[in-house]
Amino acid sequence: MIHILEKTQTEVYTAFLAEYPDIKMSQRFFEKCKPFFVRPVREQDRTTCCCRYHIEFRTIFSECMKQRKLILESTHDRAIVEARYPIFKSQADMFAETLCPKGTNKEHYKTECLNRKCQNCGVANLLLMPEENDTTDEAIEVTWEFEQHGKTSNSRLLYRTFLPTIVFVYTTFQKTLAREEIQSSYFQRTEVSLHVLIIYRHAVLEYDGKDSTNENPNIIKEHFFVVSNDDKHDHHFVHEVQIKIKEYLNYISYNVSTMHEYTDGCQCQYKSRHCMGDVSNGQQDFGYDRLIRNYFETSHAKGPQDAAGGYVKRQADLAILRRKATIQTAHDFYKFANENLQETRDSSVCLRRVFRFIDNIDRNRDRYFKSIPQNRNIHQIISEREGLLSVRNLSCYSCDSCLLNMAHSCQHTELVGLVKNIQTEKERGCAIVEDISPDDDFEVVDMIRKGSLVALYTDDEGEDFYLMKAGSCQEKLKSSETDDWQGQYPEGTTVIRGLYYRKTGPLSYSLIKRKNVIVSVKSVLYVTNDILTDSVIDLSLAIHEEIIGLAEQSSL
């Protein structure tokens, strides 16, 4: 029998320390003692609503509380007024104001209270300030924006209005197992790389049997799959996929001037310095006038491309189970899909599936680039000239300027940020090196600046990780040095300087002043510039658990 934890492992660990304060044990060691039949909550165990109503309500709630705070700041006797009109920290706190208390040893509210049938509670209990009830023309107006990184609310309209020389591509990587029968997966794991793309383009009369013009647009949606036995998903692989797309568009006589790509933020595939540098050569490689890549924010990249890949893999599994196919290699998988899955059931949803196979990938290309600063904050890159990238924090497809490819004149710069030009610079002598990882630690330490909060790996069984306040960016020692903690570092070591934090509670830390520390960048697990590094800090539970997870991976 499997027991699912109803709390996070951090909460269980905190409760354990409170009950047994004499036992000194780190959280990682505590989690290793977990019985085999106990497992933490997984994503599939949760029921989360992400519909527009809930997401927008959260945004509105946040803006209303900000407005209430501004009103209270300009009010005399603020403490008295705030006691009557509190600033709620969460939606749950506001809801609780309109319900009767749960009662002793009760986990849930009463049903009649939730159904608004109770005479003792209700929405009337939620008191609004006079300024919040004001309906005159002089009333304070509360506004909000509903934005997502890499997404726009008018994407469907955009698909109907883009020019016949433009293509939109949504892309993702997936893996599947090639096997003759299900049981053989216990004895072999022949993995097949599957790069899934959703292509939106105008119809071509000679190929699609229907025409498309600006006045009467006819948009085609296709599922494009690239199969390979190469399991190294790097920027070289992505480049080969882009070549296959270009060859296909040339085959159907579709002239492309602007290519729009939508990808997730995976470093080694799409967002490392080498990936961005590769995009800056889009004109030279593919002949596009403009290559635009948009990055989804974390956990926002799930879409039809994932469903498309899942369908193909499922059909292959069913064919194996029914003894209709034997799939033991990547080429077998490609052959099966190309022969059986090109046609779709509903052409209005997807006109066709296109399959291509890549056998060998050229990694001896001169396409290794120097670091691009703060690349994790970038969510759109535009390549219009060889070696030059225009970047900004968010994508915009809402204003006329951006729709006409004039991002520098964007009308929403206060939301998406200003466009910055970055000249990509190649590393020397890297073309023949095949083992360079596009996702090296430098991507993390590049974020470090003075005042950054840095989590460090440690082998100390009594600690999960160390925290430090960075005093500077990374540097290479010109001579051997010893810090105030008696740590010795030889000449040439890349290090960061700063001050340690001392753990004072499960999530609380205090700064150890006047005792400088030098640490190697190789020990860096996590960097954030969003937390103010005061003398005393409190980590959020989410950040704490993320660092714990990174420490676990580093210890393997």
Side-chain angles (χ1 to χ4, degrees):
M1 181 177 179
I2 301 298
H3 177 74
I4 299 177
L5 288 175
E6 296 181 355
K7 300 179 179 179
T8 65
Q9 295 186 120
T10 301
E11 290 173 333
V12 176
Y13 173 67
T14 303
F16 173 80
L17 291 182
E19 188 171 352
Y20 304 101
D22 296 333
I23 300 178
K24 304 299 181 183
M25 184 185 300
S26 70
Q27 182 173 340
R28 279 192 287 161
F29 187 79
F30 174 77
E31 291 176 1
K32 290 179 182 178
C33 299
K34 180 177 61 181
F36 71 92
F37 55 84
V38 176
R39 67 169 175 82
V41 176
R42 301 171 299 177
E43 288 293 333
Q44 52 263 46
D45 297 323
R46 300 175 181 169
T47 302
T48 304
C49 181
C50 293
C51 73
R52 182 167 182 171
Y53 294 108
H54 290 87
I55 298 297
E56 288 200 349
F57 179 80
R58 184 171 58 193
T59 306
I60 296 170
F61 169 81
S62 176
E63 293 301 322
C64 288
M65 289 302 104
K66 288 180 183 178
Q67 194 62 49
R68 176 173 285 193
K69 184 177 180 180
L70 291 175
I71 296 173
L72 288 173
E73 287 176 351
S74 60
T75 303
H76 297 293
D77 300 325
R78 174 176 175 176
I80 299 175
V81 177
E82 189 170 353
R84 182 174 175 80
Y85 305 105
I87 300 174
F88 299 107
K89 294 183 178 180
S90 66
Q91 300 168 53
D93 292 340
M94 185 178 70
F95 298 151
E97 191 77 8
T98 68
L99 300 169
C100 294
K102 293 180 181 179
T104 308
N105 299 325
K106 297 290 185 180
E107 293 184 6
H108 307 288
Y109 292 103
K110 295 180 181 179
T111 305
E112 55 265 34
C113 296
L114 295 173
N115 291 333
R116 299 302 184 194
K117 295 181 180 180
C118 177
Q119 301 296 323
N120 300 320
C121 64
V123 180
N125 291 358
L126 183 64
L127 301 179
L128 298 178
M129 303 179 71
E131 293 85 351
E132 293 171 334
N133 278 319
D134 192 357
T135 58
T136 64
D137 294 337
E138 292 77 26
I140 300 173
E141 184 177 0
V142 180
T143 60
W144 63 89
E145 294 285 343
F146 179 62
E147 294 286 334
Q148 291 184 9
H149 294 323
K151 291 186 177 180
T152 57
S153 59
N154 61 344
S155 58
R156 291 187 179 179
L157 176 63
L158 183 64
Y159 294 147
R160 299 193 189 103
T161 58
F162 68 84
L163 297 175
T165 57
I166 294 177
V167 172
F168 285 83
V169 175
Y170 286 74
T171 177
T172 187
F173 265 106
Q174 294 187 12
K175 282 187 177 181
T176 187
L177 291 176
R179 54 184 181 266
E180 182 176 0
E181 54 187 33
I182 296 298
Q183 287 84 352
S184 66
S185 64
Y186 290 102
F187 307 103
Q188 64 177 15
R189 291 186 63 85
T190 305
E191 290 189 337
V192 177
S193 294
L194 184 65
H195 198 141
V196 187
L197 306 101
I198 306 295
I199 298 178
Y200 294 91
R201 60 172 178 82
H202 279 261
V204 177
L205 179 61
E206 294 78 7
Y207 186 68
D208 302 310
K210 45 189 173 183
D211 200 5
S212 180
T213 62
N214 289 341
E215 296 75 21
N216 186 24
N218 200 334
I219 306 304
I220 298 297
K221 178 182 177 182
E222 296 172 308
H223 292 175
F224 194 94
F225 302 88
V226 179
V227 183
S228 177
N229 53 9
D230 193 305
D231 62 353
K232 190 173 183 180
H233 299 170
D234 54 10
H235 67 292
H236 299 297
F237 195 128
V238 174
H239 185 265
E240 292 292 332
V241 172
Q242 291 173 317
I243 292 175
K244 292 296 182 182
I245 296 174
K246 178 60 177 175
E247 290 175 350
Y248 172 69
L249 295 173
N250 289 341
Y251 170 73
I252 65 175
S253 301
Y254 193 94
N255 184 33
V256 180
S257 63
T258 303
M259 172 69 74
H260 295 260
E261 293 182 353
Y262 289 82
T263 75
D264 57 36
C266 180
Q267 286 289 309
C268 60
Q269 297 164 9
Y270 307 114
K271 208 175 182 183
S272 73
R273 51 179 176 163
H274 308 308
C275 302
M276 290 186 173
D278 230 358
V279 172
S280 69
N281 290 271
Q283 294 77 18
Q284 173 186 338
D285 294 339
F286 311 112
Y288 303 140
D289 295 336
R290 190 174 293 100
L291 176 57
I292 302 173
R293 178 174 290 177
N294 303 278
Y295 298 101
F296 288 112
E297 186 57 283
T298 303
S299 301
H300 284 72
K302 293 296 181 183
Q305 64 273 21
D306 297 279
Y311 174 81
V312 170
K313 292 190 291 184
R314 178 60 178 163
Q315 292 304 309
D317 281 341
L318 290 175
I320 293 170
L321 288 169
R322 294 166 181 169
R323 296 292 181 179
K324 293 182 178 180
T326 299
I327 301 176
Q328 295 179 317
T329 65
H331 194 270
D332 290 342
F333 183 90
Y334 162 73
K335 185 178 179 181
F336 164 79
N338 196 46
E339 292 176 354
N340 299 279
L341 302 177
Q342 286 194 35
E343 295 183 1
T344 61
R345 184 174 301 177
D346 187 354
S347 60
S348 63
V349 177
C350 173
L351 185 61
R352 66 176 63 86
R353 299 186 188 93
V354 182
F355 296 90
R356 293 293 184 268
F357 182 76
I358 296 177
D359 192 11
N360 296 311
I361 294 177
D362 179 18
R363 290 192 167 86
N364 290 326
R365 302 185 305 131
D366 185 19
R367 290 295 173 84
Y368 294 94
F369 296 83
K370 293 186 177 180
S371 177
I372 294 177
Q374 297 184 339
N375 69 333
R376 296 195 178 200
N377 295 329
I378 297 172
H379 288 85
Q380 186 182 57
I381 58 177
I382 304 171
S383 173
E384 297 178 296
R385 199 170 70 215
E386 184 179 348
L388 182 67
L389 284 179
S390 299
V391 306
R392 55 182 172 181
N393 291 344
L394 292 177
S395 304
C396 176
Y397 287 95
S398 301
C399 69
D400 294 336
S401 298
C402 291
L403 291 176
L404 295 174
N405 298 315
M406 296 186 295
H408 289 275
S409 304
C410 178
Q411 301 166 20
H412 299 145
T413 53
E414 70 280 0
L415 295 175
V416 302
L418 296 172
V419 176
K420 302 176 184 177
N421 292 328
I422 295 178
Q423 187 73 43
T424 58
E425 185 178 355
K426 290 183 179 180
E427 289 184 339
R428 296 186 178 275
C430 292
I432 60 173
V433 181
E434 296 192 9
D435 294 329
I436 293 181
S437 171
D439 198 17
D440 287 337
D441 286 341
F442 77 89
E443 296 289 359
V444 177
V445 300
D446 254 4
M447 299 171 61
I448 298 175
R449 60 175 184 261
K450 185 177 181 180
S452 297
L453 183 66
V454 182
L456 306 169
Y457 178 80
T458 176
D459 288 327
D460 187 351
E461 290 191 357
E463 299 290 341
D464 297 303
F465 53 85
Y466 290 140
L467 281 184
M468 71 173 291
K469 176 181 179 180
S472 63
C473 301
Q474 59 175 318
E475 61 176 283
K476 184 172 289 188
L477 294 180
K478 297 180 180 179
S479 60
S480 300
E481 290 193 35
T482 302
D483 63 13
D484 295 342
W485 296 84
Q486 302 307 310
Q488 298 180 354
Y489 298 90
E491 178 184 352
T493 306
T494 304
V495 300
I496 51 175
R497 303 174 186 269
L499 298 171
Y500 274 136
Y501 277 95
R502 178 187 291 110
K503 190 172 185 178
T504 57
L507 299 174
S508 301
Y509 297 82
S510 63
L511 190 65
I512 303 175
K513 300 179 179 179
R514 295 184 295 277
K515 198 169 182 181
N516 296 312
V517 62
I518 301 174
V519 297
S520 170
V521 295
K522 294 182 179 180
S523 62
V524 174
L525 290 173
Y526 179 88
V527 178
T528 179
N529 295 304
D530 297 331
I531 297 178
L532 189 62
T533 46
D534 293 330
S535 298
V536 178
I537 62 171
D538 293 305
L539 287 184
S540 68
L541 184 61
I543 291 179
H544 174 78
E545 292 184 341
E546 184 176 354
I547 298 174
I548 289 288
L550 293 171
E552 284 286 355
Q553 295 175 16
S554 298
S555 64
L556 296 177

